[in-house]
Amino acid sequence: MSPASPSIEAGATARGEWRTVLRHRWPLRLMHWINLACMLALVGSGLQIFNAHAALYWGEASDFDRPLFATELVRDEHGKGRGITRIGDARFDTTGVLGVSARSLDGMNVRRGFPEWATIPGPKSLALGRRWHFFFGWAWVINGLCYLGWSLASRHLRDDLAMQRRDWRGIGRSIGDHLRFRHPHGDAATRYNPLQKLAYLGVIFVLTPLAILTGLSMSPQLDSLMGGFIQLIGGRQSARTLHFIAMSLFVLFTVVHVLMVVYAGPVNELRSMISGRFRVRYPRTGEHGDG
Amino acid sequence: MAETTHPGRRSFLRMAAAASTGVLVGCDALSRREGFVDVLAVAEPLNERVQRLLTGDRLVREYPASMISPVFRPNG
């Protein structure tokens, strides 16, 4: 992606001129979709694994009476099961979603951390969840390494993602544009904006290593290699909690990412990630332009 | 080429919701296929080999007996 991308098509409408440019190169598009498939499988299977013991702790050991986060079944005075989610000392009734949810087999409400529609596979199966998780974990890491290698070799990282001086200066304006739901036109629309760059760099260089390291920290065999890191973060239960937090941040990033796609024009954005072709509008003089 | 409109956004969200549901249903169906589960299992020996390669014969950290929980609930 580059402002210097040559136009594939060009034309004019009542709202100004437009050009179609090649926004994303094919390796990037391919790795983006592989990444999405891996992330879906990792989140779904990760929640299946979490359901085997639906509570998180901090430190070396599990203090069953004081979880940081837990979903559990609590019976009310009529003996009816309610799904209760605990975050620290706070308790929320989350029946139907967390703690207690319907089983697809017979529609009966059963004790479950996350519901069947959020886990892979849907029905309870720790063994299958682990197989999905480790297989797609490898696929995700290999895809990530390919992305990193390609980004360095093609200068995508340096030219498109690295924060330039003008990006640092433009953060305030970018925040203002996002708050006012103004999205860039013209050449600015062909570049990542500063907030977008910071989000992508955060995911690539902070969130991804955190997810991988905390995931590895849960392996008893790797504990012998990563003892220092595990001590640094407070213990294996802390690693499990941080792994869950990293997953939650990935989900949050994805939700915001999809909302931004919807807001910026889903047809154009989606097409640019499938065929690479992105339509840029150059507004008439006087209209809001480069953002 | 038509300009992007709000119905386009609504269709996109509908498509995304339908695709997510399709993916989850598809994953369940795949989980029931023995051949696919065998493919997933390829990762297990890979894990073991890489772990052995990284750790060699190193032993994991040992904990004192005082850290054993007096009550240990089974998983699930």
Side-chain angles (χ1 to χ4, degrees):
Chain A
M1 193 179 84
S2 155
S5 301
S7 299
I8 300 167
E9 286 175 320
T13 65
R15 296 181 65 197
E17 288 180 17
W18 60 267
R19 282 182 213 154
T20 303
V21 296
L22 181 67
R23 191 189 201 195
H24 301 298
R25 284 164 277 181
W26 74 263
L28 186 74
R29 303 194 308 262
L30 180 67
M31 288 183 285
H32 171 269
W33 293 115
I34 291 174
N35 187 54
L36 172 67
C38 291
M39 287 306 299
L40 276 174
L42 282 170
V43 170
S45 57
L47 294 179
Q48 172 72 250
I49 297 168
F50 171 85
N51 275 0
H53 183 80
L56 297 169
Y57 311 91
W58 193 260
E60 293 276 13
S62 315
D63 182 354
F64 293 141
D65 294 328
R66 296 186 63 81
L68 275 183
F69 172 85
T71 63
E72 46 196 28
L73 179 146
V74 174
R75 299 216 171 266
D76 62 17
E77 63 271 25
H78 308 293
K80 200 174 167 196
R82 310 292 306 167
I84 300 295
T85 298
R86 290 170 63 176
I87 302 173
D89 292 330
R91 284 171 167 74
F92 308 94
D93 190 331
T94 50
T95 308
V97 185
L98 299 175
V100 169
S101 52
R103 182 167 60 189
S104 61
L105 185 70
D106 51 13
M108 243 181 81
N109 269 353
V110 291
R111 179 187 172 186
R112 263 184 81 96
F114 282 84
E116 278 193 17
W117 56 259
T119 65
I120 295 176
K124 186 176 175 178
S125 173
L126 174 60
L128 270 176
R130 282 170 57 92
R131 286 196 167 178
W132 275 89
H133 205 68
F134 294 137
F135 181 86
F136 281 95
W138 275 108
W140 185 59
V141 167
I142 293 167
N143 187 56
L145 290 173
C146 289
Y147 170 78
L148 210 56
W150 178 83
S151 297
L152 288 168
S154 67
R155 297 184 179 179
H156 169 64
L157 197 61
R158 196 195 69 179
D159 296 344
D160 302 330
L161 276 174
M163 288 289 282
Q164 312 289 345
R165 197 171 295 166
R166 70 164 179 223
D167 293 318
W168 291 113
R169 281 199 303 261
I171 286 182
R173 187 180 176 190
S174 188
I175 292 171
D177 284 344
H178 279 82
L179 289 175
R180 286 193 294 267
F181 292 98
R182 284 164 63 171
H183 57 88
H185 298 297
D187 286 342
T190 67
R191 292 191 294 264
Y192 294 137
N193 64 59
L195 294 185
Q196 205 175 2
K197 284 185 178 186
L198 285 175
Y200 294 168
L201 291 170
V203 165
I204 296 164
F205 294 110
V206 180
L207 213 46
T208 300
L210 179 72
I212 293 171
L213 284 174
T214 52
L216 293 177
S217 302
M218 284 185 272
S219 155
Q221 195 174 351
L222 286 177
D223 278 6
S224 62
L225 194 72
M226 307 178 65
F229 176 73
I230 295 166
Q231 265 185 334
L232 180 75
I233 58 174
R236 282 183 66 196
Q237 292 306 319
S238 311
R240 187 168 176 256
T241 300
L242 286 172
H243 195 65
F244 187 89
I245 290 171
M247 178 278 298
S248 309
L249 291 174
F250 270 119
V251 171
L252 178 69
F253 167 80
T254 308
V255 169
V256 174
H257 183 63
V258 170
L259 286 177
M260 286 292 116
V261 166
V262 170
Y263 149 70
V267 176
N268 201 21
E269 295 287 332
L270 204 57
R271 184 181 51 220
S272 76
M273 204 33 99
I274 294 171
S275 69
R277 293 160 72 94
F278 183 70
R279 195 178 196 226
V280 190
R281 190 165 73 85
Y282 290 82
R284 293 189 181 286
T285 318
E287 204 181 331
H288 168 65
D290 282 9
Chain B
M1 205 178 293
E3 287 287 331
T4 306
T5 58
H6 290 285
R9 291 184 177 132
R10 281 196 290 270
S11 314
F12 174 80
L13 286 174
R14 268 198 293 267
M15 262 169 48
S20 310
T21 310
V23 165
L24 288 169
V25 171
C27 287
D28 265 0
L30 283 172
S31 295
R32 285 193 291 273
R33 292 175 77 117
E34 224 168 88
F36 185 76
V37 175
D38 289 343
V39 172
L40 293 181
V42 166
E44 298 277 351
L46 187 61
N47 277 342
E48 286 161 14
R49 269 189 219 125
V50 172
Q51 287 190 350
R52 182 53 58 92
L53 192 76
L54 290 172
T55 58
D57 291 327
R58 291 168 70 143
L59 297 173
V60 296
R61 184 180 160 194
E62 290 188 17
Y63 293 87
S66 60
M67 287 188 78
I68 299 172
S69 173
V71 191
F72 194 82
R73 291 197 302 224
N75 284 342

